[in-house]
Amino acid sequence: MKTWNSTVLICCTFVDYYYHNMMTDLVYTEKELVQSLKEYIKAEESKLAAIKSWASKLDALTRVSTSDPEGYLAHPVNAYKLMKRLNSEWSELETLVLQNPSDGFISNMSIHRQYFPDEEDATGAAKALMRLQDTYQLDSEAFSRGKLPGLHTNALLTVDDCFDMGKTAYNDADYYHAVLWLQQSLKQLDAGEEAVISKADILDYLSYSVYQMGDLPRAIELTRRLVAIDPKHDRAGGNLRYFERLLTKQLNEMNQTYQPPSEEPIQLGTYSRPKDHLPERETYEALCRGEGLQMVRRSRLFCRYQDGKRNPRLLLKPMKEEDEWDSPHIVRYLEVLSHEEIEKIKELAKPRLARATVRDPKTGVLTTANYRVSKSAWLEAEDDVVIQRVNQRIEDITGLTVDTAELLQVANYGVGGQYEPHFDFSRKDEPDAFKRLGTGNRVATFLNYMSDVAAGGATVFPDFGAAIWPRKGTAVFWYNLFRSGEGDYRTRHAACPVLVGSKWVSNKWIHERGQEFRRPCGLTEVD
């Protein structure tokens, strides 16, 4: 009994102690847990609401985009924002979900992430918009509001989008475009548009970019606005004093008085665009806009049926041939490729598309270049009977053998896709360009247009001011070399940036070897 009583006493004493001391704490602990649970639920609901909002927005976007993918991506702003979403915004969503990991979602993300555009792709898309802005003389507001020539849509750029565009240019030391886009970002923010980025951040980048463009008065005014917003900003005060000293020194040296900066917003034309590597830049871009076109000599331009000098395959259905230019002679053929053939060629090419390359004139090595922005693939006759048929058709039309020609190259020019002025043939300063092929120089170019293009995308010849616009199913043909084998430098040409649409082409570069009796030499260098 004593032992039992002692045990009861011990138990009762423990329970009394636990109850009166620990259990009261547990009551409060449980209350805290309930509160914590409520906060957790609230956080989860908030997170779920945010995810639902993302899903709703993206569902609406994907319904529109997948209903007509090519039409959707034809608008350069849609293409840019798709790049941006997949490069950064989906990562933000992933981070949000990872706060309480969802294995299924993360696993799915991991599988698909390998196909997402990376930072280089997103930067490239931003630069493509700037390239279109320059070529077609579009101000930043036109882009941000979706106002393109002949097109007005709801593809809008937000304050943050414009800031990202400006920062992309800024990081590339391209202060000209940085100013245009940062100014647009500031303008939209001042108009009351909501944004994640702060006005101080915009002013910080914008003021320094304006300074780099040599506009000290405006740089000072913008920096003063920054100091007024954030007096303790790391750089603003020092920059302001430096800009003011620099301007005072310049005014003293030039014996001038201070002129307040213009109150007009910075826009296209406020500053001069820096010169670049391309000597005919202005002519080339004017032709792309349809300006500066030379009047062709109509009296010598004709259309006709062409049977390839009574080629049996063309007798029953001759090709419709139109003159595009008389000298150098450029012709267009109609109904060269059927819709079914075009779709088959695209189907074969799409899995093989890769960034198009150019041959380095110094090393002869194929490499990518900013002046050629497209994706290309090479198709062999063995790939499909359609390729065999197209190759044979080119030979029948031109009368030149394609046995020594290069493979059929298929190229896709998406948003901002272009190929700046270039020669298809190798010049005397690059004699080894096609040495490994053993087929001589590129004597002629046969270019198939496999899509219509809503805006932009012309093939232009800056030397004589001609522009040839894409028409689906047609093809253009010209000789790169005179009969003597000398290069015809007038054939320097370019593929203008695609403004709206997606441009598909395929081309056949025909070489000298095998043409000796099909196109005999002339008597002079320029025959």
PDB file of all heavy atoms in Angstrom, residues 309 329 398-401 442-444 477-486 488 490 510-512 514-522 526-527:
ATOM      1  N   LYS A 309      14.039  26.907-122.709  1.00  0.00           N
ATOM      2  CA  LYS A 309      14.538  26.533-124.045  1.00  0.00           C
ATOM      3  C   LYS A 309      13.977  25.162-124.459  1.00  0.00           C
ATOM      4  O   LYS A 309      14.704  24.241-124.821  1.00  0.00           O
ATOM      5  CB  LYS A 309      16.065  26.539-124.078  1.00  0.00           C
ATOM      6  CG  LYS A 309      16.667  27.929-123.831  1.00  0.00           C
ATOM      7  CD  LYS A 309      18.177  27.894-123.883  1.00  0.00           C
ATOM      8  CE  LYS A 309      18.745  29.298-123.631  1.00  0.00           C
ATOM      9  NZ  LYS A 309      20.228  29.310-123.654  1.00  0.00           N
ATOM     10  N   HIS A 329      20.247  41.847-114.444  1.00  0.00           N
ATOM     11  CA  HIS A 329      18.949  41.267-114.758  1.00  0.00           C
ATOM     12  C   HIS A 329      18.472  40.399-113.593  1.00  0.00           C
ATOM     13  O   HIS A 329      19.112  39.398-113.254  1.00  0.00           O
ATOM     14  CB  HIS A 329      19.037  40.439-116.036  1.00  0.00           C
ATOM     15  CG  HIS A 329      17.694  40.130-116.622  1.00  0.00           C
ATOM     16  ND1 HIS A 329      17.488  39.086-117.500  1.00  0.00           N
ATOM     17  CD2 HIS A 329      16.480  40.723-116.456  1.00  0.00           C
ATOM     18  CE1 HIS A 329      16.219  39.057-117.850  1.00  0.00           C
ATOM     19  NE2 HIS A 329      15.579  40.037-117.227  1.00  0.00           N
ATOM     20  N   THR A 398      16.506  27.504-114.824  1.00  0.00           N
ATOM     21  CA  THR A 398      17.705  28.316-115.034  1.00  0.00           C
ATOM     22  C   THR A 398      18.563  27.817-116.196  1.00  0.00           C
ATOM     23  O   THR A 398      19.355  28.587-116.753  1.00  0.00           O
ATOM     24  CB  THR A 398      18.570  28.341-113.772  1.00  0.00           C
ATOM     25  OG1 THR A 398      19.036  27.009-113.483  1.00  0.00           O
ATOM     26  CG2 THR A 398      17.781  28.874-112.584  1.00  0.00           C
ATOM     27  N   GLY A 399      18.438  26.541-116.517  1.00  0.00           N
ATOM     28  CA  GLY A 399      19.316  25.961-117.523  1.00  0.00           C
ATOM     29  C   GLY A 399      20.703  25.668-117.003  1.00  0.00           C
ATOM     30  O   GLY A 399      21.610  25.317-117.759  1.00  0.00           O
ATOM     31  N   LEU A 400      20.899  25.807-115.708  1.00  0.00           N
ATOM     32  CA  LEU A 400      22.198  25.555-115.072  1.00  0.00           C
ATOM     33  C   LEU A 400      22.137  24.231-114.311  1.00  0.00           C
ATOM     34  O   LEU A 400      21.109  23.899-113.712  1.00  0.00           O
ATOM     35  CB  LEU A 400      22.553  26.687-114.105  1.00  0.00           C
ATOM     36  CG  LEU A 400      22.629  28.094-114.705  1.00  0.00           C
ATOM     37  CD1 LEU A 400      22.820  29.124-113.602  1.00  0.00           C
ATOM     38  CD2 LEU A 400      23.753  28.199-115.719  1.00  0.00           C
ATOM     39  N   THR A 401      23.227  23.504-114.300  1.00  0.00           N
ATOM     40  CA  THR A 401      23.249  22.255-113.552  1.00  0.00           C
ATOM     41  C   THR A 401      23.293  22.537-112.053  1.00  0.00           C
ATOM     42  O   THR A 401      23.969  23.472-111.593  1.00  0.00           O
ATOM     43  CB  THR A 401      24.449  21.381-113.938  1.00  0.00           C
ATOM     44  OG1 THR A 401      24.406  20.168-113.171  1.00  0.00           O
ATOM     45  CG2 THR A 401      25.769  22.075-113.665  1.00  0.00           C
ATOM     46  N   ARG A 442      30.171  31.086-106.451  1.00  0.00           N
ATOM     47  CA  ARG A 442      28.718  31.051-106.607  1.00  0.00           C
ATOM     48  C   ARG A 442      28.331  31.904-107.823  1.00  0.00           C
ATOM     49  O   ARG A 442      28.368  33.126-107.766  1.00  0.00           O
ATOM     50  CB  ARG A 442      28.033  31.586-105.361  1.00  0.00           C
ATOM     51  CG  ARG A 442      28.097  30.656-104.154  1.00  0.00           C
ATOM     52  CD  ARG A 442      27.551  31.358-102.921  1.00  0.00           C
ATOM     53  NE  ARG A 442      27.484  30.460-101.772  1.00  0.00           N
ATOM     54  CZ  ARG A 442      27.286  30.878-100.518  1.00  0.00           C
ATOM     55  NH1 ARG A 442      27.154  32.177-100.267  1.00  0.00           N
ATOM     56  NH2 ARG A 442      27.240  30.013 -99.529  1.00  0.00           N
ATOM     57  N   VAL A 443      27.936  31.248-108.879  1.00  0.00           N
ATOM     58  CA  VAL A 443      27.640  31.958-110.117  1.00  0.00           C
ATOM     59  C   VAL A 443      26.254  32.594-110.091  1.00  0.00           C
ATOM     60  O   VAL A 443      26.021  33.638-110.701  1.00  0.00           O
ATOM     61  CB  VAL A 443      27.786  31.017-111.338  1.00  0.00           C
ATOM     62  CG1 VAL A 443      26.712  29.935-111.333  1.00  0.00           C
ATOM     63  CG2 VAL A 443      27.749  31.795-112.639  1.00  0.00           C
ATOM     64  N   ALA A 444      25.306  31.993-109.353  1.00  0.00           N
ATOM     65  CA  ALA A 444      23.936  32.509-109.377  1.00  0.00           C
ATOM     66  C   ALA A 444      23.211  32.156-108.084  1.00  0.00           C
ATOM     67  O   ALA A 444      23.596  31.228-107.364  1.00  0.00           O
ATOM     68  CB  ALA A 444      23.172  31.945-110.574  1.00  0.00           C
ATOM     69  N   PHE A 477      15.636  35.229-109.244  1.00  0.00           N
ATOM     70  CA  PHE A 477      16.890  34.647-109.721  1.00  0.00           C
ATOM     71  C   PHE A 477      17.764  35.748-110.294  1.00  0.00           C
ATOM     72  O   PHE A 477      17.284  36.645-110.991  1.00  0.00           O
ATOM     73  CB  PHE A 477      16.593  33.601-110.804  1.00  0.00           C
ATOM     74  CG  PHE A 477      17.813  33.061-111.501  1.00  0.00           C
ATOM     75  CD1 PHE A 477      18.643  32.143-110.877  1.00  0.00           C
ATOM     76  CD2 PHE A 477      18.148  33.497-112.784  1.00  0.00           C
ATOM     77  CE1 PHE A 477      19.777  31.647-111.522  1.00  0.00           C
ATOM     78  CE2 PHE A 477      19.272  33.001-113.442  1.00  0.00           C
ATOM     79  CZ  PHE A 477      20.087  32.075-112.802  1.00  0.00           C
ATOM     80  N   TRP A 478      19.066  35.677-109.987  1.00  0.00           N
ATOM     81  CA  TRP A 478      20.024  36.606-110.588  1.00  0.00           C
ATOM     82  C   TRP A 478      21.399  35.940-110.629  1.00  0.00           C
ATOM     83  O   TRP A 478      21.674  34.991-109.888  1.00  0.00           O
ATOM     84  CB  TRP A 478      20.088  37.926-109.815  1.00  0.00           C
ATOM     85  CG  TRP A 478      20.662  37.831-108.425  1.00  0.00           C
ATOM     86  CD1 TRP A 478      21.979  37.881-108.053  1.00  0.00           C
ATOM     87  CD2 TRP A 478      19.928  37.673-107.199  1.00  0.00           C
ATOM     88  NE1 TRP A 478      22.114  37.759-106.689  1.00  0.00           N
ATOM     89  CE2 TRP A 478      20.872  37.634-106.145  1.00  0.00           C
ATOM     90  CE3 TRP A 478      18.554  37.561-106.892  1.00  0.00           C
ATOM     91  CZ2 TRP A 478      20.488  37.492-104.813  1.00  0.00           C
ATOM     92  CZ3 TRP A 478      18.189  37.425-105.567  1.00  0.00           C
ATOM     93  CH2 TRP A 478      19.146  37.385-104.547  1.00  0.00           C
ATOM     94  N   TYR A 479      22.239  36.467-111.512  1.00  0.00           N
ATOM     95  CA  TYR A 479      23.626  36.018-111.613  1.00  0.00           C
ATOM     96  C   TYR A 479      24.497  36.885-110.709  1.00  0.00           C
ATOM     97  O   TYR A 479      24.406  38.109-110.734  1.00  0.00           O
ATOM     98  CB  TYR A 479      24.119  36.093-113.059  1.00  0.00           C
ATOM     99  CG  TYR A 479      23.614  34.978-113.933  1.00  0.00           C
ATOM    100  CD1 TYR A 479      22.556  35.179-114.829  1.00  0.00           C
ATOM    101  CD2 TYR A 479      24.193  33.710-113.864  1.00  0.00           C
ATOM    102  CE1 TYR A 479      22.089  34.138-115.625  1.00  0.00           C
ATOM    103  CE2 TYR A 479      23.736  32.668-114.664  1.00  0.00           C
ATOM    104  CZ  TYR A 479      22.685  32.888-115.538  1.00  0.00           C
ATOM    105  OH  TYR A 479      22.224  31.862-116.320  1.00  0.00           O
ATOM    106  N   ASN A 480      25.359  36.236-109.945  1.00  0.00           N
ATOM    107  CA  ASN A 480      26.321  36.949-109.095  1.00  0.00           C
ATOM    108  C   ASN A 480      27.615  37.272-109.845  1.00  0.00           C
ATOM    109  O   ASN A 480      28.355  38.175-109.439  1.00  0.00           O
ATOM    110  CB  ASN A 480      26.678  36.105-107.865  1.00  0.00           C
ATOM    111  CG  ASN A 480      25.466  35.832-106.996  1.00  0.00           C
ATOM    112  OD1 ASN A 480      24.789  36.749-106.560  1.00  0.00           O
ATOM    113  ND2 ASN A 480      25.183  34.556-106.760  1.00  0.00           N
ATOM    114  N   LEU A 481      27.897  36.512-110.878  1.00  0.00           N
ATOM    115  CA  LEU A 481      29.137  36.670-111.639  1.00  0.00           C
ATOM    116  C   LEU A 481      28.821  37.027-113.083  1.00  0.00           C
ATOM    117  O   LEU A 481      27.807  36.590-113.647  1.00  0.00           O
ATOM    118  CB  LEU A 481      29.956  35.369-111.623  1.00  0.00           C
ATOM    119  CG  LEU A 481      30.282  34.731-110.274  1.00  0.00           C
ATOM    120  CD1 LEU A 481      31.083  33.447-110.497  1.00  0.00           C
ATOM    121  CD2 LEU A 481      31.046  35.683-109.363  1.00  0.00           C
ATOM    122  N   PHE A 482      29.699  37.838-113.677  1.00  0.00           N
ATOM    123  CA  PHE A 482      29.623  38.053-115.120  1.00  0.00           C
ATOM    124  C   PHE A 482      30.061  36.762-115.817  1.00  0.00           C
ATOM    125  O   PHE A 482      30.627  35.853-115.196  1.00  0.00           O
ATOM    126  CB  PHE A 482      30.533  39.212-115.534  1.00  0.00           C
ATOM    127  CG  PHE A 482      30.071  40.559-115.031  1.00  0.00           C
ATOM    128  CD1 PHE A 482      30.771  41.231-114.036  1.00  0.00           C
ATOM    129  CD2 PHE A 482      28.941  41.164-115.579  1.00  0.00           C
ATOM    130  CE1 PHE A 482      30.351  42.477-113.577  1.00  0.00           C
ATOM    131  CE2 PHE A 482      28.514  42.408-115.127  1.00  0.00           C
ATOM    132  CZ  PHE A 482      29.219  43.061-114.119  1.00  0.00           C
ATOM    133  N   ARG A 483      29.842  36.696-117.115  1.00  0.00           N
ATOM    134  CA  ARG A 483      30.251  35.508-117.870  1.00  0.00           C
ATOM    135  C   ARG A 483      31.755  35.274-117.791  1.00  0.00           C
ATOM    136  O   ARG A 483      32.222  34.142-117.928  1.00  0.00           O
ATOM    137  CB  ARG A 483      29.825  35.652-119.338  1.00  0.00           C
ATOM    138  CG  ARG A 483      28.323  35.490-119.548  1.00  0.00           C
ATOM    139  CD  ARG A 483      27.961  35.631-121.021  1.00  0.00           C
ATOM    140  NE  ARG A 483      26.538  35.409-121.255  1.00  0.00           N
ATOM    141  CZ  ARG A 483      25.974  34.237-121.468  1.00  0.00           C
ATOM    142  NH1 ARG A 483      26.730  33.143-121.485  1.00  0.00           N
ATOM    143  NH2 ARG A 483      24.676  34.124-121.669  1.00  0.00           N
ATOM    144  N   SER A 484      32.500  36.343-117.551  1.00  0.00           N
ATOM    145  CA  SER A 484      33.954  36.227-117.447  1.00  0.00           C
ATOM    146  C   SER A 484      34.391  35.577-116.140  1.00  0.00           C
ATOM    147  O   SER A 484      35.557  35.217-115.976  1.00  0.00           O
ATOM    148  CB  SER A 484      34.587  37.615-117.540  1.00  0.00           C
ATOM    149  OG  SER A 484      34.164  38.418-116.441  1.00  0.00           O
ATOM    150  N   GLY A 485      33.470  35.459-115.188  1.00  0.00           N
ATOM    151  CA  GLY A 485      33.810  34.918-113.876  1.00  0.00           C
ATOM    152  C   GLY A 485      34.079  35.995-112.852  1.00  0.00           C
ATOM    153  O   GLY A 485      34.247  35.710-111.659  1.00  0.00           O
ATOM    154  N   GLU A 486      34.117  37.266-113.300  1.00  0.00           N
ATOM    155  CA  GLU A 486      34.303  38.377-112.370  1.00  0.00           C
ATOM    156  C   GLU A 486      33.004  38.625-111.596  1.00  0.00           C
ATOM    157  O   GLU A 486      31.898  38.469-112.132  1.00  0.00           O
ATOM    158  CB  GLU A 486      34.698  39.652-113.127  1.00  0.00           C
ATOM    159  CG  GLU A 486      36.080  39.604-113.745  1.00  0.00           C
ATOM    160  CD  GLU A 486      37.175  39.508-112.686  1.00  0.00           C
ATOM    161  OE1 GLU A 486      37.060  40.196-111.655  1.00  0.00           O
ATOM    162  OE2 GLU A 486      38.132  38.732-112.883  1.00  0.00           O
ATOM    163  N   ASP A 488      29.912  40.484-109.905  1.00  0.00           N
ATOM    164  CA  ASP A 488      29.086  41.652-110.191  1.00  0.00           C
ATOM    165  C   ASP A 488      28.758  42.314-108.853  1.00  0.00           C
ATOM    166  O   ASP A 488      27.849  41.881-108.135  1.00  0.00           O
ATOM    167  CB  ASP A 488      27.809  41.222-110.918  1.00  0.00           C
ATOM    168  CG  ASP A 488      26.980  42.407-111.401  1.00  0.00           C
ATOM    169  OD1 ASP A 488      27.258  43.543-110.956  1.00  0.00           O
ATOM    170  OD2 ASP A 488      26.074  42.197-112.224  1.00  0.00           O
ATOM    171  N   ARG A 490      27.321  44.891-108.125  1.00  0.00           N
ATOM    172  CA  ARG A 490      26.003  45.517-108.000  1.00  0.00           C
ATOM    173  C   ARG A 490      25.003  44.596-107.298  1.00  0.00           C
ATOM    174  O   ARG A 490      23.942  45.052-106.850  1.00  0.00           O
ATOM    175  CB  ARG A 490      25.470  45.880-109.392  1.00  0.00           C
ATOM    176  CG  ARG A 490      26.305  46.887-110.152  1.00  0.00           C
ATOM    177  CD  ARG A 490      25.810  47.019-111.591  1.00  0.00           C
ATOM    178  NE  ARG A 490      25.884  45.746-112.303  1.00  0.00           N
ATOM    179  CZ  ARG A 490      25.370  45.550-113.527  1.00  0.00           C
ATOM    180  NH1 ARG A 490      24.752  46.539-114.151  1.00  0.00           N
ATOM    181  NH2 ARG A 490      25.478  44.354-114.116  1.00  0.00           N
ATOM    182  N   ILE A 510      24.088  28.292-106.827  1.00  0.00           N
ATOM    183  CA  ILE A 510      24.591  27.519-107.964  1.00  0.00           C
ATOM    184  C   ILE A 510      26.044  27.911-108.231  1.00  0.00           C
ATOM    185  O   ILE A 510      26.364  29.106-108.275  1.00  0.00           O
ATOM    186  CB  ILE A 510      23.716  27.768-109.207  1.00  0.00           C
ATOM    187  CG1 ILE A 510      22.257  27.397-108.879  1.00  0.00           C
ATOM    188  CG2 ILE A 510      24.222  26.978-110.408  1.00  0.00           C
ATOM    189  CD1 ILE A 510      21.256  27.794-109.955  1.00  0.00           C
ATOM    190  N   HIS A 511      26.920  26.916-108.392  1.00  0.00           N
ATOM    191  CA  HIS A 511      28.356  27.184-108.540  1.00  0.00           C
ATOM    192  C   HIS A 511      28.808  27.095-109.998  1.00  0.00           C
ATOM    193  O   HIS A 511      28.086  26.633-110.880  1.00  0.00           O
ATOM    194  CB  HIS A 511      29.146  26.229-107.651  1.00  0.00           C
ATOM    195  CG  HIS A 511      29.141  26.627-106.208  1.00  0.00           C
ATOM    196  ND1 HIS A 511      30.274  27.006-105.527  1.00  0.00           N
ATOM    197  CD2 HIS A 511      28.119  26.744-105.315  1.00  0.00           C
ATOM    198  CE1 HIS A 511      29.959  27.312-104.280  1.00  0.00           C
ATOM    199  NE2 HIS A 511      28.653  27.157-104.126  1.00  0.00           N
ATOM    200  N   GLU A 512      30.047  27.548-110.231  1.00  0.00           N
ATOM    201  CA  GLU A 512      30.592  27.665-111.592  1.00  0.00           C
ATOM    202  C   GLU A 512      30.796  26.325-112.292  1.00  0.00           C
ATOM    203  O   GLU A 512      30.504  26.200-113.488  1.00  0.00           O
ATOM    204  CB  GLU A 512      31.943  28.393-111.544  1.00  0.00           C
ATOM    205  CG  GLU A 512      31.870  29.859-111.163  1.00  0.00           C
ATOM    206  CD  GLU A 512      33.258  30.461-111.082  1.00  0.00           C
ATOM    207  OE1 GLU A 512      33.987  30.136-110.113  1.00  0.00           O
ATOM    208  OE2 GLU A 512      33.616  31.226-112.005  1.00  0.00           O
ATOM    209  N   GLY A 514      30.644  22.955-114.074  1.00  0.00           N
ATOM    210  CA  GLY A 514      29.553  22.307-114.775  1.00  0.00           C
ATOM    211  C   GLY A 514      28.751  23.249-115.651  1.00  0.00           C
ATOM    212  O   GLY A 514      27.884  22.811-116.417  1.00  0.00           O
ATOM    213  N   GLN A 515      29.022  24.563-115.541  1.00  0.00           N
ATOM    214  CA  GLN A 515      28.265  25.531-116.331  1.00  0.00           C
ATOM    215  C   GLN A 515      29.024  25.958-117.587  1.00  0.00           C
ATOM    216  O   GLN A 515      28.552  26.826-118.330  1.00  0.00           O
ATOM    217  CB  GLN A 515      27.954  26.790-115.481  1.00  0.00           C
ATOM    218  CG  GLN A 515      27.571  26.557-114.051  1.00  0.00           C
ATOM    219  CD  GLN A 515      26.356  25.654-113.860  1.00  0.00           C
ATOM    220  OE1 GLN A 515      25.590  25.398-114.800  1.00  0.00           O
ATOM    221  NE2 GLN A 515      26.176  25.144-112.642  1.00  0.00           N
ATOM    222  N   GLU A 516      30.200  25.357-117.825  1.00  0.00           N
ATOM    223  CA  GLU A 516      31.068  25.836-118.908  1.00  0.00           C
ATOM    224  C   GLU A 516      30.365  25.887-120.264  1.00  0.00           C
ATOM    225  O   GLU A 516      30.603  26.819-121.059  1.00  0.00           O
ATOM    226  CB  GLU A 516      32.314  24.936-119.009  1.00  0.00           C
ATOM    227  CG  GLU A 516      33.261  25.055-117.819  1.00  0.00           C
ATOM    228  CD  GLU A 516      32.854  24.198-116.625  1.00  0.00           C
ATOM    229  OE1 GLU A 516      31.800  23.528-116.700  1.00  0.00           O
ATOM    230  OE2 GLU A 516      33.592  24.194-115.621  1.00  0.00           O
ATOM    231  N   PHE A 517      29.512  24.921-120.548  1.00  0.00           N
ATOM    232  CA  PHE A 517      28.810  24.897-121.835  1.00  0.00           C
ATOM    233  C   PHE A 517      27.370  25.387-121.717  1.00  0.00           C
ATOM    234  O   PHE A 517      26.697  25.587-122.720  1.00  0.00           O
ATOM    235  CB  PHE A 517      28.845  23.485-122.434  1.00  0.00           C
ATOM    236  CG  PHE A 517      30.244  23.019-122.728  1.00  0.00           C
ATOM    237  CD1 PHE A 517      30.880  22.111-121.895  1.00  0.00           C
ATOM    238  CD2 PHE A 517      30.937  23.514-123.830  1.00  0.00           C
ATOM    239  CE1 PHE A 517      32.184  21.690-122.158  1.00  0.00           C
ATOM    240  CE2 PHE A 517      32.236  23.094-124.088  1.00  0.00           C
ATOM    241  CZ  PHE A 517      32.869  22.181-123.254  1.00  0.00           C
ATOM    242  N   ARG A 518      26.920  25.551-120.482  1.00  0.00           N
ATOM    243  CA  ARG A 518      25.560  26.051-120.268  1.00  0.00           C
ATOM    244  C   ARG A 518      25.544  27.578-120.229  1.00  0.00           C
ATOM    245  O   ARG A 518      24.555  28.206-120.598  1.00  0.00           O
ATOM    246  CB  ARG A 518      24.985  25.489-118.966  1.00  0.00           C
ATOM    247  CG  ARG A 518      24.812  23.962-119.017  1.00  0.00           C
ATOM    248  CD  ARG A 518      24.277  23.444-117.696  1.00  0.00           C
ATOM    249  NE  ARG A 518      24.165  21.994-117.703  1.00  0.00           N
ATOM    250  CZ  ARG A 518      23.034  21.319-117.484  1.00  0.00           C
ATOM    251  NH1 ARG A 518      21.913  21.969-117.280  1.00  0.00           N
ATOM    252  NH2 ARG A 518      23.037  20.005-117.500  1.00  0.00           N
ATOM    253  N   ARG A 519      26.645  28.159-119.741  1.00  0.00           N
ATOM    254  CA  ARG A 519      26.786  29.617-119.728  1.00  0.00           C
ATOM    255  C   ARG A 519      28.227  29.948-120.118  1.00  0.00           C
ATOM    256  O   ARG A 519      29.077  30.199-119.261  1.00  0.00           O
ATOM    257  CB  ARG A 519      26.456  30.191-118.348  1.00  0.00           C
ATOM    258  CG  ARG A 519      26.305  31.724-118.357  1.00  0.00           C
ATOM    259  CD  ARG A 519      26.156  32.265-116.946  1.00  0.00           C
ATOM    260  NE  ARG A 519      25.839  33.672-116.941  1.00  0.00           N
ATOM    261  CZ  ARG A 519      26.483  34.593-116.222  1.00  0.00           C
ATOM    262  NH1 ARG A 519      27.498  34.236-115.433  1.00  0.00           N
ATOM    263  NH2 ARG A 519      26.117  35.855-116.275  1.00  0.00           N
ATOM    264  N   PRO A 520      28.530  29.948-121.397  1.00  0.00           N
ATOM    265  CA  PRO A 520      29.915  30.159-121.855  1.00  0.00           C
ATOM    266  C   PRO A 520      30.433  31.540-121.479  1.00  0.00           C
ATOM    267  O   PRO A 520      29.664  32.471-121.243  1.00  0.00           O
ATOM    268  CB  PRO A 520      29.804  30.012-123.378  1.00  0.00           C
ATOM    269  CG  PRO A 520      28.527  29.293-123.615  1.00  0.00           C
ATOM    270  CD  PRO A 520      27.615  29.687-122.507  1.00  0.00           C
ATOM    271  N   CYS A 521      31.758  31.671-121.434  1.00  0.00           N
ATOM    272  CA  CYS A 521      32.395  32.945-121.103  1.00  0.00           C
ATOM    273  C   CYS A 521      32.078  33.985-122.174  1.00  0.00           C
ATOM    274  O   CYS A 521      31.865  33.667-123.347  1.00  0.00           O
ATOM    275  CB  CYS A 521      33.912  32.777-121.022  1.00  0.00           C
ATOM    276  SG  CYS A 521      34.431  31.848-119.571  1.00  0.00           S
ATOM    277  N   GLY A 522      32.086  35.259-121.739  1.00  0.00           N
ATOM    278  CA  GLY A 522      31.914  36.366-122.672  1.00  0.00           C
ATOM    279  C   GLY A 522      33.256  36.854-123.173  1.00  0.00           C
ATOM    280  O   GLY A 522      34.320  36.355-122.784  1.00  0.00           O
ATOM    281  N   VAL A 526      32.952  42.308-118.343  1.00  0.00           N
ATOM    282  CA  VAL A 526      31.609  42.584-117.820  1.00  0.00           C
ATOM    283  C   VAL A 526      30.511  42.073-118.741  1.00  0.00           C
ATOM    284  O   VAL A 526      29.369  42.536-118.675  1.00  0.00           O
ATOM    285  CB  VAL A 526      31.420  44.102-117.564  1.00  0.00           C
ATOM    286  CG1 VAL A 526      32.321  44.560-116.456  1.00  0.00           C
ATOM    287  CG2 VAL A 526      31.651  44.916-118.825  1.00  0.00           C
ATOM    288  N   ASP A 527      30.818  41.129-119.596  1.00  0.00           N
ATOM    289  CA  ASP A 527      29.763  40.506-120.426  1.00  0.00           C
ATOM    290  C   ASP A 527      28.844  39.667-119.542  1.00  0.00           C
ATOM    291  O   ASP A 527      29.298  39.042-118.589  1.00  0.00           O
ATOM    292  CB  ASP A 527      30.390  39.610-121.492  1.00  0.00           C
ATOM    293  CG  ASP A 527      30.864  40.432-122.676  1.00  0.00           C
ATOM    294  OD1 ASP A 527      30.519  41.615-122.743  1.00  0.00           O
ATOM    295  OD2 ASP A 527      31.615  39.867-123.503  1.00  0.00           O
TER     296      ASP A 527
END
